[in-house]
Amino acid sequence: MINRVIVTGRMVRDPELRTTTTGKSVVSFSIAVNKRFKPQDQNEPDAFFFRVSAWDKTAEYVNNYLTKGRLVGVEGRLESRKYTDKEGQPREIVEIVADNVMALDRPRDDAGNAPAAGGGGSSQAAPRNSAAAIPDEYDPFADE
């Protein structure tokens, strides 16, 4: 059987990182994926919303580098699970368990520092939970 999902969407909320009792990192977040056609009913949302979870290194990457509003590509598998809510009602959810999560845009903070289109430059985003990146002014080939 094949159970593979690849979706592209915007993060609806900041990721939430947790650590299991065995020390594994797990992150959960949601993404909104635009519908192909706008709904006729104005009360109906024009996007699908998916819950996503990721483990270990992928979880740490998502937590450190991605925030609400970022465009991401998610590759993984669908899993369903059942649980009982606080009121004692049985619930079932389907979520994407991500094997790979990719940032598909630049952080909004870099908008003013981004090179012009076609410049061929690449920028590294600073981790969200670390100090701000210092501009790279050191030129190892410059004469001293």
Side-chain angles (χ1 to χ4, degrees):
M1 302 291 169
I2 298 173
N3 181 0
R4 297 303 298 164
V5 175
I6 301 172
V7 293
T8 301
R10 293 219 177 259
M11 294 181 68
V12 177
R13 59 186 167 93
D14 285 335
E16 297 174 11
L17 182 69
R18 299 182 313 277
T19 305
T20 65
T21 55
T22 60
K24 287 190 169 200
S25 299
V26 60
V27 71
S28 58
F29 60 97
S30 295
I31 62 171
V33 178
N34 287 339
K35 292 182 178 178
R36 190 171 182 152
F37 300 103
K38 289 210 178 257
Q40 298 297 326
D41 182 6
Q42 297 297 329
N43 296 328
E44 187 179 340
D46 59 349
F48 295 106
F49 295 89
F50 297 102
R51 293 179 189 218
V52 182
S53 63
W55 293 83
D56 299 325
K57 296 290 184 192
T58 304
E60 292 170 16
Y61 167 78
V62 169
N63 186 62
N64 289 334
Y65 293 98
L66 302 177
T67 56
K68 177 181 176 178
R70 293 291 304 271
L71 183 64
V72 295
V74 176
E75 178 185 4
R77 66 186 183 280
L78 290 177
E79 280 191 8
S80 66
R81 58 186 166 93
K82 296 179 182 181
Y83 68 96
T84 304
D85 67 11
K86 294 176 184 176
E87 289 81 36
Q89 299 296 316
R91 301 283 183 195
E92 182 176 6
I93 64 167
V94 176
E95 68 182 345
I96 300 170
V97 177
D99 297 324
N100 194 9
V101 177
M102 297 155 280
L104 300 177
D105 64 355
R106 294 177 190 235
R108 294 176 195 246
D109 295 339
D110 282 354
N113 301 334
S122 66
S123 68
Q124 291 265 338
R128 184 177 62 168
N129 297 333
S130 70
I134 299 171
D136 188 12
E137 295 178 10
Y138 173 72
D139 184 0
F141 301 105
D143 293 332
E144 292 187 31

